[in-house]
Amino acid sequence: EAGVTQFPSHSVIEKGQTVTLRCDPISGHDNLYWYRRVMGKEIKFLLHFVKESKQDESGMPNNRFLAERTGGTYSTLKVQPAELEDSGVYFCASSQQPTGELFFGEGSRLTVL
Amino acid sequence: GENVEQHPSTLSVQEGDSAVIKCTYSDSASNYFPWYKQELGKRPQLIIDIRSNVGEKKDQRIAVTLNKTAKHFSLHITETQPEDSAVYFCAASKQVQGAQKLVFGQGTRLTINP
């Protein structure tokens, strides 16, 4: 069974540019989460989808971040325009049940110069 | 909201010795406490978890203890091996709108010295 896959694994962009990160959850997992780890700190919750609906987006830092999950399959996280403090590793995770084990992807490392 | 503190940030032990990582949480309503291991360049993976109706759980060389009164929980690894070297994250959560929203600690980089 394929795990959670994320693309790209690493992205280097300049301040002010746009980046779109993609996450493919495990097939059949309705719950999809985005987390972020900045500069060796804790992994912080960004948002949670149930199928195509945003269940909880309380962790989204500001309106420069836009997450979508059209069709309830893969999800994208767009940062526009990117700022220096957006640098970090963005993790996607999925679970079959809302209270079940989270399966993480390997993360997308974003570097904003 | 919930706040999770994790200590130490780095830990170095000799192969065969034990390692202990400690976490405290602030929200007494938290009822689920997983531990994730992230090896270099790989994804975080769940290694053990505990729910608030249990005080201790063991899985081979790994054990987790929970003290609800003091609001802290710990990961114990015995007979450490080189493959235990990784970053370990604790987390705490409670059900919010029918889902578990994990709040993570800052991570502990564990190094096992041969």
Side-chain angles (χ1 to χ4, degrees), chain A residues 52-88:
Chain A
E52 68 275 9
S53 300
K54 290 176 187 174
Q55 182 79 1
D56 182 350
E57 53 183 331
S58 60
M60 294 289 265
N62 52 60
N63 59 9
R64 294 185 295 102
F65 289 74
L66 175 65
E68 294 180 319
R69 193 184 182 194
T70 307
T73 54
Y74 70 91
S75 175
T76 58
L77 180 64
K78 180 192 285 189
V79 185
Q80 178 184 32
E83 297 289 344
L84 299 179
E85 63 264 26
D86 300 332
S87 295

